[in-house]
Structures are given as C-alpha cells and as structure tokens.
Amino acid sequence: MLVEVIATSVEDAKRAEQGGADRLELISGILEGGLTLSWGLVNAVVKAVSIPVHVMVRPHSQSFCYAADELRVMKEDVRVIRELGAAGVVFGMLTPEKQIDRHGLELLLTEAAGLNVTFHRAFDEALDEQKQDGQAIEVE
C-alpha cells in the first residue's frame, strides 16, 4: 500500500516525507479542490524531497470543463512540470454533458508521455450511465 499525501508548500512536502509518505500530490487551492500551482513551487518541492511528486493540473475550480485555450495552457503546464522533474501529473476533464473529454485527455496524455498520470476527482462527476426510455444504459 502506498501513502499519498497532499502538499501545498515546500514545508508540507518535507513534513509528509519525514512522516512516511510514499508520494506527494502537490496542489494549490485546497479549498477549491486543488488547482495548478506555480512552476517555481513545483521546482522547489521536487528539489526538496526524494519521494515522487505528482502535480495537479487544473486551471480553475468552476467545473471540470475546459475551453480550447485552457487545454493549451494545461498542455504547457504538463510540459514544464515534466521538465522540472516531477514524477507525475494529476488532471481530469469532462464535456458539458459530464462525459470524459476524450479529446482533452488525449491532448494532455500525449504531452505527459513518461509521467505517471492520475485522472482526478472529475471522474466522480462523470456520468457512467444515462436514462433512456426508463432504462439505464452504459455510455462508452
């Protein structure tokens, strides 16, 4: 079993490692459910600890739906996070219909090659079935 601890600062990260965490999920905006943080903080945390650091890539907290411009920003964040030496990224995106945004996911997965990837809590809001004529059907 792995113990992952959320960190929001270099001090959080160091304490988590000292306390026995196996890896970190590095975020800002904890009250908003986790947001992308500054590249400077990512760099500082990666250098400060020896355990894997997975970095949140989420540009806003309004929803898990992202416009094309936001997806481009997220792609750039993933690129820089990889270059800074993080072990992984954490992201997720949905369509307005609460389906997994396959286009956005493919865009970021391509950029995340070589990193561990976690699909975050957007998954909890994704629909996995729809009602049609009173019967539940699976959505692919």
Side-chain angles (χ1 to χ4, degrees):
M1 177 171 67
L2 291 175
V3 175
E4 180 180 82
V5 174
I6 290 179
T8 60
S9 67
V10 175
E11 190 60 34
D12 282 352
K14 288 179 180 178
R15 287 183 181 154
E17 182 176 45
Q18 291 167 355
D22 296 302
R23 74 177 177 212
L24 300 172
E25 181 176 319
L26 186 60
I27 69 170
S28 69
I30 197 165
L31 296 178
E32 290 86 8
L35 299 171
T36 307
L37 52 159
S38 76
W39 297 339
L41 185 53
V42 173
N43 189 46
V45 169
V46 167
K47 288 179 178 177
V49 298
S50 60
I51 59 177
V53 178
H54 292 193
V55 181
M56 176 67 69
V57 178
R58 184 176 178 219
H60 63 70
S61 63
Q62 289 94 20
S63 71
F64 296 110
C65 298
Y66 304 109
D69 288 336
E70 292 166 327
L71 287 170
R72 283 190 287 277
V73 168
M74 293 168 77
K75 182 178 177 183
E76 177 71 2
D77 285 337
V78 171
R79 183 189 64 76
V80 172
I81 289 164
R82 185 182 63 251
E83 289 177 359
L84 292 173
V89 287
V90 180
F91 54 71
M93 62 273 318
L94 302 174
T95 67
E97 299 77 31
K98 301 285 188 188
Q99 300 297 314
I100 292 173
D101 179 351
R102 293 178 187 271
H103 169 73
L105 188 57
E106 288 174 10
L107 180 74
L108 295 191
L109 286 173
T110 299
E111 190 63 47
L115 294 174
N116 294 318
V117 175
T118 303
F119 193 99
H120 65 50
R121 66 189 205 115
F123 189 78
D124 296 337
E125 291 188 17
L127 296 179
D128 59 359
E129 57 184 31
Q130 292 180 343
K131 298 286 184 181
Q132 184 176 3
D133 297 327
Q135 295 188 1
I137 59 171
E138 283 189 35
V139 176
E140 295 185 28

